Amino acid sequence: MPGILVVAEAAEGAVTPASFELIGAARKLSGEGAGPVAAFIAGSEAQAKELIAVGADSAYTSDAATQADILLPAVQAAVAQSGADIVLIAQSSLGRDLGPMLAFANNTGVAMDSTELKIEAGRLRATRSAYGGNARAEHTWKSPLQVVTVKAKSFDAPEADASRSGAVTAIAEKGESKITVLGTEKAVSTGIRIEDAAVVVSGGRGLGDESAFKALEELAGTLKVAAVGASRAACDLGWYPPSQQVGLTGKTVSPNLYIAIAISGASQHMAGMAGSKNIVSINKDADSNMVRVSKFAIIDDYKKVLPALIEEIKKLG
Amino acid sequence: MNIIVCVKQIPDPETPAASFKVDEAAKKVIPAQGIAPVVNPYDPQATEAALRLKDAAGGGKVTVISLGPDSARDAIKHALAMGADEGVLLNDPAFDDIDNFQTANALAAAIKKIGECDLVLMGRASADWDMGVVPLGVGQALGVPVVSVAKAIEKTANGVKVERVLDDGFQTVEAPLPAIVTVSNEFGEPRYPQLRQIMMAAKKTVQVWSAADLGLGADATGAANRVMPLEALYVPKVESNVEIIEGDSPEEKARNLAQKLRAAKLI
């Protein structure tokens, strides 16, 4: 009997939201004929029961350390015991390593950061973004095992139902790592981290000169919860610090509001901000990619728009 | 210290979206006219890391491998101009359109063939497919540890000490050699080759190895033997729902935008 194994994760004692989203994805696939849903967690029996409450039919626990090479044999054992032919893993720091390791250990490949999953003729089909969001790719597998990592917020987490029950099995297998962890620290920063800002105001090469970032900073200051970002082109020109670069080789942000000023929207930049909930463009080119993906856009010279925008926002208070 | 760096040539990620086209039947990106392919942006950072480690060790060799078409020679040349010593191009029609499993096995075979190697460095992912899985596959094939997403690498008595970038912070780990480490953009700016170095790089050796040279049989290569068939590749249709803010002057447009943003509770 085929089935689905969800590799859940816990952070600071709590099952991660992404894990519940994976259960949501697994239930959808189960509904399309992929078989029952088992969950694996390197965590407690109570956490396993939480996973069952949101939709897993059974669960496996392990006390192995959450390091990909140590967890791999435990996950392999859960795959074998559950009979799963589909494994869903979150696109997390752990998943980025565990997904490929599990796939390659089973002589197959993995589709990373998948956004859509469906069952066709009993087999998985995964859709993912490629070329910085410019393209979509759809993959299938010839191997018995089909492994994917899933992009956060691609699926809804089901409501918990405390009346659901299922078997919880402890798994003893664990691997040995050649890698020694010397220390882990949380990211800290002064001011608003661009990754955490509710609003990001970003500028690109189209600003024309470095001094324009002063106006962007003033706009961000007016909005209070905003951070200032820049495209790679603007950073390469030395107009703004590389630490504030948004894009493929910079920061990935997903603010509630992203204000793109004089940014055309090459994939290098889109890759870092496509997850923004609402995009606003100020651009001279109505046909630019950034304007097309925006909710609101002003097609005009930002130099004339920005001072009036800052003034009006101050007036609105 | 002998280090192997794997680099990849990809379509320029700065290509304007309007110039990005896909041949849906062939499931391939159509090269944008007038925009040359580039070295994957994370790879010069891997090369930079290799050069610094070699200097710190006081000797050794940095070998650059790229799997790709003839033009991938340019990606190797870039690393050679930065200061790498030798290059190997893995070039064979049998490598066209292979998947990440096949690529990892081909790179692992090349690394074995090169032989003496303390450390393999790669970019954290290639910006075209953006998966970051090949380094893990090479590690699996070679049976060596893989440390991913490094922002700093230092040689120690026991191997290498690596500072990793996690989703919510940083982690410092130590791995024995040989090992594979993937390098992230947080590593810092790579050196930019000067004209003299570019000219010197032209004289450095680039060997070309085929699938047969790597001992890879017909069943290990070729798009038909992908373990993960690519079923479709297309440019998603973006439904543009943009509302262009009107006004008689730039200032009036700005005022209208501010009010719209407030009405939508976005500010």
Side-chain angles (χ1 to χ4, degrees):
Chain A
M1 175 79 179
I4 307 157
L5 181 73
V6 165
V7 177
E9 289 178 54
E12 289 162 5
V15 179
T16 60
S19 301
F20 295 129
E21 292 166 21
L22 293 179
I23 300 279
R27 284 265 55 113
K28 172 194 179 288
L29 296 176
S30 182
E32 295 170 11
V37 178
F40 170 91
I41 188 157
S44 65
E45 190 173 336
Q47 288 168 343
K49 285 186 172 154
E50 275 187 68
L51 293 163
I52 289 171
V54 294
D57 299 307
S58 62
Y60 298 89
T61 60
S62 160
D63 62 359
T66 49
Q67 194 177 317
D69 46 4
I70 296 175
L71 271 186
L72 180 62
V75 174
Q76 291 264 54
V79 170
Q81 288 185 32
S82 66
D85 59 349
I86 294 174
V87 182
L88 308 183
I89 304 173
Q91 177 77 9
S92 59
S93 289
L94 176 69
R96 266 187 271 274
D97 288 351
L98 184 60
M101 285 173 79
L102 177 67
F104 288 110
N106 287 282
N107 291 317
T108 188
V110 51
M112 303 294 286
D113 225 1
S114 302
T115 51
E116 291 168 44
L117 301 170
K118 65 178 168 192
I119 300 295
E120 275 185 9
R123 301 286 291 170
L124 182 64
R125 191 176 178 110
T127 303
R128 62 184 302 278
S129 188
Y131 295 91
N134 274 330
R136 294 276 183 284
E138 296 184 10
H139 294 278
T140 56
W141 285 256
K142 283 188 205 156
S143 54
L145 193 67
Q146 306 154 93
V147 184
V148 293
T149 66
V150 180
K151 191 181 181 73
K153 302 191 173 75
S154 300
F155 294 88
D156 292 327
E159 291 288 327
D161 172 0
S163 70
R164 286 181 54 88
S165 65
V168 178
T169 311
I171 285 181
E173 284 90 341
K174 61 186 82 164
E176 279 184 27
S177 182
K178 292 177 185 162
I179 298 166
T180 314
V181 177
L182 302 174
T184 302
E185 57 178 300
K186 287 256 170 238
V188 282
S189 73
T190 53
I192 303 175
R193 286 171 77 223
I194 190 163
E195 299 96 316
D196 299 336
V199 182
V200 173
V201 180
S202 263
R205 184 172 16 210
L207 290 174
D209 73 278
E210 182 176 356
S211 63
F213 275 97
K214 287 270 171 288
L216 269 62
E217 284 172 353
E218 193 186 345
L219 175 59
T222 309
L223 292 167
K224 295 183 184 71
V225 288
V228 174
S231 73
R232 173 170 175 155
C235 291
D236 281 357
L237 287 162
W239 293 354
Y240 219 60
S243 63
Q244 300 304 105
Q245 186 195 315
V246 172
L248 196 61
T249 50
K251 299 283 161 57
T252 302
V253 300
S254 50
N256 190 39
L257 176 61
Y258 191 87
I259 304 178
I261 302 168
I263 299 179
S264 67
S267 70
Q268 153 76 241
H269 190 73
M270 302 302 288
M273 48 66 66
S276 303
K277 315 292 176 296
N278 299 282
I279 299 168
V280 169
S281 287
I282 302 173
N283 206 297
K284 278 184 181 168
D285 178 9
D287 296 326
S288 79
N289 195 41
M290 190 63 83
V291 168
R292 293 189 56 227
V293 301
S294 292
K295 183 180 177 73
F296 300 121
I298 289 182
I299 310 303
D300 215 315
D301 182 358
Y302 80 90
K303 284 183 187 160
K304 295 186 179 132
V305 174
L306 271 191
L309 183 61
I310 292 166
E311 196 186 320
E312 185 68 16
I313 291 171
K314 279 183 183 159
K315 215 182 281 175
L316 291 172
Chain B
M1 193 174 193
N2 294 321
I3 303 169
I4 293 174
V5 183
C6 299
V7 302
K8 185 178 183 185
Q9 188 184 52
I10 63 165
D12 191 344
E14 298 282 6
T15 304
S19 305
F20 183 86
K21 302 253 158 40
V22 166
D23 178 342
E24 291 188 14
K27 292 175 272 192
K28 275 186 187 192
V29 172
I30 301 168
Q33 273 212 327
I35 302 174
V38 297
V39 187
N40 174 42
Y42 303 113
D43 296 348
Q45 280 149 331
T47 307
E48 178 67 36
L51 295 172
R52 287 190 205 169
L53 285 165
K54 179 189 150 183
D55 283 350
K61 191 162 88 175
V62 175
T63 308
V64 188
I65 306 180
S66 188
L67 184 150
D70 292 336
S71 64
R73 199 180 282 270
D74 291 343
I76 295 173
K77 288 282 179 193
H78 183 267
L80 294 177
M82 284 177 70
D85 300 294
E86 285 178 14
V88 179
L89 175 65
L90 310 182
N91 179 262
D92 197 311
F95 293 146
D96 289 351
D97 305 318
I98 56 177
D99 65 17
N100 48 46
F101 179 73
Q102 294 167 302
T103 302
N105 285 328
L107 288 174
I111 292 163
K112 263 192 219 159
K113 187 173 160 77
I114 289 170
E116 280 184 26
C117 169
D118 302 303
L119 183 66
V120 179
L121 297 176
M122 307 192 199
R124 61 174 289 184
S126 67
D128 48 359
W129 290 98
D130 196 20
M131 291 232 208
V133 308
V134 164
L136 280 306
V138 174
Q140 182 85 34
L142 297 175
V144 301
V146 182
V147 180
S148 58
V149 201
K151 68 181 277 240
I153 310 167
E154 185 191 328
K155 174 83 180 72
T156 60
N158 303 322
V160 280
K161 191 166 104 177
V162 182
E163 237 182 284
R164 299 182 62 210
V165 182
L166 303 183
D167 289 337
D168 58 351
F170 304 99
Q171 185 181 56
T172 309
V173 303
E174 193 167 47
L177 300 179
I180 297 173
V181 178
T182 78
V183 182
S184 186
N185 46 291
E186 286 88 349
F187 185 82
E189 281 298 298
R191 69 195 69 184
Y192 199 78
Q194 303 299 315
L195 183 62
R196 195 177 65 88
Q197 294 166 304
I198 294 171
M199 288 168 68
M200 277 166 59
K203 296 192 190 105
K204 292 180 181 172
T205 323
V206 178
Q207 297 187 65
V208 182
W209 292 347
S210 66
D213 291 332
L214 297 175
L216 297 171
D219 56 341
T221 55
N225 291 316
R226 289 175 70 109
V227 63
M228 275 178 69
L230 178 62
E231 302 289 352
L233 185 71
Y234 51 92
V235 175
K237 291 199 176 44
V238 180
E239 263 301 300
S240 184
N241 292 315
V242 62
E243 179 180 344
I244 304 291
I245 307 292
E246 303 294 345
D248 291 334
S249 66
E251 292 78 11
E252 191 186 326
K253 290 176 188 174
R255 286 192 290 275
N256 291 342
L257 173 62
Q259 281 156 17
K260 291 260 185 200
L261 291 174
R262 172 51 59 89
K265 296 193 167 66
L266 292 174
I267 58 171

